[in-house]
């Protein structure tokens, strides 16, 4: 499958600390927002049935990610929870999603990660890029498919699946 995701490239470190980071503070530390496509993978034939511990041990199905160019629009002024994304597998399938499908808002997902890392005494570093989760039901893909995602003002990205 392919997943349409928001990707945040960090512009400054968010080191561990006692007080939790607020969403606005985390977003202020972001250098750029990118449209992204993830091709997840799992060692399990049905990862939905293995349980949380096994899913975490399987790197949460993370595998390959392709980042689009940084958004040139003023993404900080947009309501990313309401932001629409259109995904397609050329000639086969089209699907729509919104940012709210990512834990209610991709900004909330990023802040959650920053605070989870902080609780474990891990710094979210400048230069690291965080994908926050898919905006829509994953797109089934096969070799030679062309997958595209249109993020409107935030840009477009497409990839071709090869063997």
């Amino acid at each position: 499958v392919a997943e349409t995701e928001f990707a945040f490239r960090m512009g400054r470190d968010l080191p561990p600390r006692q007080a939790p980071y607020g969403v606005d503070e985390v977003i202020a530390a972001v250098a750029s927002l990118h449209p992204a496509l993830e091709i997840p993978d799992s060692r399990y034939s049905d990862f939905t049935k293995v349980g949380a511990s096994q899913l975490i041990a399987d790197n949460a199905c993370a595998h390959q990610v392709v980042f689009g160019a940084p958004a040139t629009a003023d993404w900080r002024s947009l309501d990313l929870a309401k932001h629409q994304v259109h995904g397609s597998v050329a000639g086969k399938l089209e699907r729509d999603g919104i940012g709210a499908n990512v834990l209610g808002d991709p900004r909330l997902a990023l802040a959650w990660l920053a605070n989870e890392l902080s609780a474990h005494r891990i710094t979210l570093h400048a230069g690291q890029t965080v994908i926050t989760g898919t905006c829509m039901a994953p797109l089934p893909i096969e070799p030679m498919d062309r997958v595209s995602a249109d993020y409107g003002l935030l840009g477009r990205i497409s990839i071709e699946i090869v063997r």
Side-chain angles (χ1 to χ4, degrees):
V1 296
E3 296 180 345
T4 58
E5 306 213 14
F6 291 91
F8 296 93
R9 182 154 297 139
M10 302 308 296
R12 66 176 174 82
D13 290 353
L14 293 176
R17 68 180 198 191
Q18 288 289 89
Y21 286 101
V23 173
D24 290 342
E25 190 175 10
V26 172
I27 293 303
V30 173
S32 56
L33 171 67
H34 303 252
L37 286 168
E38 179 185 15
I39 309 300
D41 195 11
S42 176
R43 293 175 284 202
Y44 301 103
S45 57
D46 188 353
F47 68 89
T48 64
K49 295 183 179 179
V50 299
S53 295
Q54 293 298 328
L55 191 58
I56 291 167
D58 193 35
N59 202 25
C61 300
H63 186 54
Q64 296 179 338
V65 181
V66 177
F67 302 110
T72 57
D74 179 15
W75 60 269
R76 284 181 172 85
S77 68
L78 299 176
D79 183 347
L80 295 183
K82 293 181 181 176
H83 193 79
Q84 296 185 358
V85 178
H86 179 78
S88 66
V89 180
K92 295 183 180 181
L93 171 71
E94 295 196 21
R95 189 170 280 163
D96 292 312
I98 60 171
N101 291 336
V102 183
L103 296 178
D105 187 320
R107 295 167 294 198
L108 295 175
L110 181 63
W112 174 86
L113 177 67
N115 286 312
E116 188 70 11
L117 291 173
S118 180
H120 292 283
R121 298 184 177 153
I122 300 170
T123 297
L124 181 55
H125 290 283
Q128 290 181 318
T129 303
V130 177
I131 56 173
T132 54
T134 188
C135 309
M136 64 184 66
L139 301 161
I141 57 173
E142 296 177 17
M144 308 315 295
D145 279 343
R146 183 149 205 63
V147 182
S148 300
D150 184 345
Y151 288 73
L153 293 171
L154 301 178
R156 293 169 181 74
I157 184 172
S158 64
I159 59 174
E160 185 174 324
I161 307 300
V162 295
R163 292 189 188 266

